[in-house]
Amino acid sequence: MTKKTNLFANLNSDFPAGLVVFLVALPLCLGIALASGAPLFSGIISGVIGGIVVGFLSKSHLSVSGPAAGLTAIVLVAITDLGAFDVFLTAVFLAGLLQLALGFLKAGTISNYFPTNVIEGMLAGIGVIIFLKQIPHAVGYDKDYEGDLSFMQSDGENTFSEILSVLGSIQLGAVIITVVSLVILISWNKISFLKNLKLVPAALIAVIVGIAMNQLFIYSGSSLAIMGEHLVSLPVPTTFDDFKNIIVTPNFSAITNKQVWIVAFTIAIVASIETLLCIEAADRMDIHRRYTDTNVELKAQGIGNIISSLLGGLPMTSVVVRTSANANAGAQSKMSSIIHGLLLLVSALAIPFVLNKIPLATLAAILLLVGYKLANPKIIKHFFEKGKYQFIPFICTFLAVVFTDLLKGVALGIIISVIFILKGNMQRAYVFRKETFHDGDVIHIDLAQEVSFLNKAAIKSTLASIPENSKVIINASDTVYIAHDVLDLIKEFKKIKSKEENIKVKLVGFKKAYDLVNTGEEDKHVFVEQKV
């Protein structure tokens, strides 16, 4: 019987976490919509649906969904190629249906094959990206949009050159607000007399103080005042027509357009992979080590994308930045994701003029701490101490995520992990119990439980290295499966090389079906094993 979860059981932890995620998600939703060439409110709609609908349907306790930076380039090109945003929404609708189908086909199980060191490398890489990308915003240089995680930026800069560009454009007011915000975020829960205010998250206090400081700068006519592009810029609907124009519906007459289907398949595959990666990461961040049903997650994402498209929203995925902010804020259940979605909805419709007073520098301070916690140097040390087979895939994933993007970084890490697995399998194909040879020594080769074609090269090399006049026992007593390629090697070794080089061979435990002579039959007299 499935255990029922009370969504309100951890409200004292989930509400502050939801509030923090809301503050992080707001500029990300707007920034990703802007970079995608879509209406700004489409990002908010996607965030609302990702929080409320997907948050409710998902089985993940920490994952938070919304518009994803990883889809930005796909969305931008798709809107341009399809010629209209409503046609693009048709592709998002179809992508949602495809994700729903993937969930029913149990495609989510592929997430079980993502190695832990690769997931941790991805998280550390994203942590570094978040940290580096927020440095310009923290000092008042806001040329690149919030939420950009790509090394190469659309403005021709890259992550590092953007930081260098900051040197001549530092705004002192933004720096002061960032520093004050960081002090509040770091010290809020450490001050003893404030412990009773734990329900009020430090991020909210930092935002309120940031707004108050900037309003003081503005009213006093100070040069420290932050204006324009350095503040959150949510569209403010003033008339009924403005509200009505927010909702754009799909143009289903374009459903026969081949290009629409190509875009739909692309979004479905990329969004599903990013979601599965984030779910694995979310489960790693969960201190209770609860595991998510990834097939249910794909269904939830599919339904979310269907509803988002019908309301004029961007495609969504489970997103690492929001999820890590959620985990760091102490979330205990998916209620925090739902709360963040509700806050996005209410605030965007009721108080957009208040949100537009929030300095991006304050939000940058929140994300700086999120990035630092994800990329804590202790994680690198931990995998270094585990040895090269754990460390190399981790560090390669980490670097590739930083210098390319999430999907390429993870792909490289998985490829390297597979190479190491193949190498390990080749080494574990047998136990070779003699490394030096003397006259009269008996060489033991004990085959493993499974010997596949991947082990052919290692066994071939071992058999080729056995010197003349040796005595060899090849033992398959514990072996369940031996590939034909390996059997052929053993047959050739016994019938040809052993005769040519006077090597006495004794076979033990081989099945009759292998057509190899077993001990107890015609080879009993070959030699008597000597103790060494």
Side-chain angles (χ1 to χ4, degrees):
M1 187 174 176
T2 304
K3 183 180 178 181
K4 292 184 178 179
T5 303
N6 181 359
L7 289 176
F8 300 97
N10 301 290
L11 201 58
N12 60 336
S13 298
D14 291 335
F15 184 81
L19 188 54
V20 171
V21 179
F22 155 68
L23 293 171
V24 168
L26 178 63
L28 297 183
C29 289
L30 295 171
I32 291 168
L34 180 66
S36 302
L40 288 182
F41 249 104
S42 65
I44 298 294
I45 292 169
S46 179
V48 170
I49 302 302
I52 299 173
V53 177
V54 177
F56 181 77
L57 296 175
S58 171
K59 296 296 184 182
S60 176
H61 297 277
L62 296 181
S63 165
V64 183
S65 297
L71 293 175
T72 301
I74 295 172
V75 173
L76 179 62
V77 172
I79 293 174
T80 304
D81 289 349
L82 296 175
F85 186 62
D86 60 348
V87 176
F88 167 74
L89 291 176
T90 306
V92 178
F93 179 86
L94 294 172
L97 290 177
L98 291 169
Q99 283 186 293
L100 196 57
L102 288 173
F104 281 109
L105 292 172
K106 300 190 182 301
T109 52
I110 66 169
S111 65
N112 294 324
Y113 301 99
F114 298 148
T116 298
N117 53 356
V118 171
I119 297 298
E120 293 285 0
M122 177 193 77
L123 283 174
I126 289 175
V128 168
I129 293 171
I130 293 171
F131 190 90
L132 295 177
K133 291 286 189 181
Q134 291 309 310
I135 291 175
H137 297 294
V139 298
Y141 187 81
D142 299 295
K143 299 296 183 185
D144 191 32
Y145 69 92
E146 276 283 10
D148 185 9
L149 298 181
S150 300
F151 181 73
M152 296 303 300
Q153 299 174 182
S154 57
D155 59 2
E157 301 280 2
N158 61 51
T159 303
F160 295 106
S161 66
E162 181 87 352
I163 295 174
L164 293 176
S165 300
V166 162
L167 298 177
S169 306
I170 294 176
Q171 187 171 6
L172 186 57
V175 174
I176 293 172
I177 289 176
T178 298
V179 172
V180 171
S181 298
L182 284 171
V183 170
I184 293 171
L185 292 167
I186 294 169
S187 62
W188 182 250
N189 291 326
K190 295 181 180 179
I191 301 174
S192 57
F193 68 86
L194 293 175
K195 286 184 178 178
N196 293 330
L197 296 175
K198 189 178 180 181
L199 190 61
V200 181
L204 178 60
I205 302 302
V207 166
I208 292 172
V209 171
I211 292 174
M213 288 177 65
N214 192 47
Q215 290 304 303
L216 181 62
F217 293 155
I218 293 171
Y219 290 135
S220 64
S222 171
S223 60
L224 299 176
I226 300 173
M227 305 291 286
E229 65 178 2
H230 308 301
L231 302 173
V232 170
S233 56
L234 187 65
V236 181
T238 55
T239 66
F240 179 75
D241 287 337
D242 289 340
F243 277 105
K244 194 168 66 174
N245 291 334
I246 289 173
I247 306 298
V248 181
T249 56
N251 180 358
F252 288 110
S253 64
I255 204 166
T256 56
N257 185 337
K258 178 183 175 183
Q259 192 64 29
V260 167
W261 282 92
I262 293 173
V263 172
F265 273 101
T266 304
I267 291 174
I269 297 301
V270 175
S272 297
I273 292 173
E274 287 205 11
T275 290
L276 293 177
L277 287 169
C278 182
I279 290 298
E280 286 296 306
D283 288 349
R284 294 292 304 166
M285 288 186 274
D286 187 358
I287 59 174
H288 302 293
R289 287 297 185 264
R290 295 165 292 188
Y291 299 109
T292 301
D293 187 329
T294 48
N295 295 312
V296 172
E297 185 65 30
L298 287 180
K299 294 174 188 176
Q301 293 290 333
I303 293 171
N305 276 321
I306 290 169
I307 297 175
S308 181
S309 69
L310 293 174
L311 297 175
L314 290 174
M316 71 186 71
T317 73
S318 180
V319 188
V320 174
V321 179
R322 295 173 180 82
T323 300
S324 54
N326 194 34
N328 290 332
Q332 295 296 312
S333 78
K334 59 184 181 178
M335 189 63 190
S336 60
S337 176
I338 297 172
I339 288 169
H340 122 273
L342 290 170
L343 289 173
L344 274 175
L345 175 62
V346 172
S347 59
L349 296 179
I351 54 168
F353 54 91
V354 175
L355 300 180
N356 286 344
K357 296 181 185 297
I358 301 175
L360 292 179
T362 295
L363 303 179
I366 297 171
L367 287 169
L368 282 171
L369 287 183
V370 170
Y372 174 77
K373 288 178 181 178
L374 281 176
N376 193 314
K378 290 180 181 177
I379 297 171
I380 298 175
K381 181 183 177 184
H382 169 74
F383 279 97
F384 181 77
E385 291 172 348
K386 280 194 168 187
K388 63 181 180 180
Y389 291 113
Q390 287 293 311
F391 181 71
I392 292 176
F394 166 83
I395 202 67
C396 288
T397 303
F398 168 76
L399 293 173
V401 167
V402 172
F403 289 101
T404 57
D405 59 44
L406 184 151
L407 292 181
K408 290 175 184 174
V410 169
L412 177 63
I414 290 175
I415 289 169
I416 292 172
S417 295
V418 169
I419 290 171
F420 282 165
I421 289 169
L422 297 180
K423 184 177 179 182
N425 281 342
M426 286 190 287
Q427 292 175 340
R428 288 189 293 271
Y430 58 89
V431 176
F432 188 30
R433 286 193 269 151
K434 195 66 192 175
E435 295 181 358
T436 57
F437 306 102
H438 303 283
D439 287 343
D441 281 354
V442 177
I443 301 168
H444 293 262
I445 300 176
D446 299 334
L447 299 181
Q449 191 172 28
E450 290 192 12
V451 184
S452 73
F453 72 94
L454 298 173
N455 309 125
K456 178 180 176 180
I459 293 176
K460 185 177 183 179
S461 175
T462 297
L463 295 178
S465 67
I466 294 175
E468 296 181 0
N469 306 314
S470 298
K471 299 172 183 176
V472 181
I473 296 178
I474 303 177
N475 191 342
S477 298
D478 298 326
T479 306
V480 176
Y481 168 78
I482 306 176
H484 289 291
D485 291 10
V486 177
L487 286 172
D488 288 342
L489 280 177
I490 295 172
K491 287 177 183 177
E492 291 168 3
F493 175 76
K494 186 176 187 308
K495 292 180 179 179
I496 301 173
K497 183 178 178 179
S498 65
K499 290 183 171 59
E500 292 178 351
E501 301 187 5
N502 193 32
I503 299 173
K504 296 179 181 178
V505 180
K506 189 175 184 179
L507 304 180
V508 178
F510 284 85
K511 297 176 183 177
K512 289 183 179 180
Y514 292 154
D515 194 25
L516 283 167
V517 177
N518 281 282
T519 301
E521 296 175 14
E522 65 185 59
D523 264 5
K524 257 188 178 179
H525 63 282
V526 171
F527 66 93
V528 177
E529 180 181 347
Q530 299 180 19
K531 292 183 180 180
V532 294

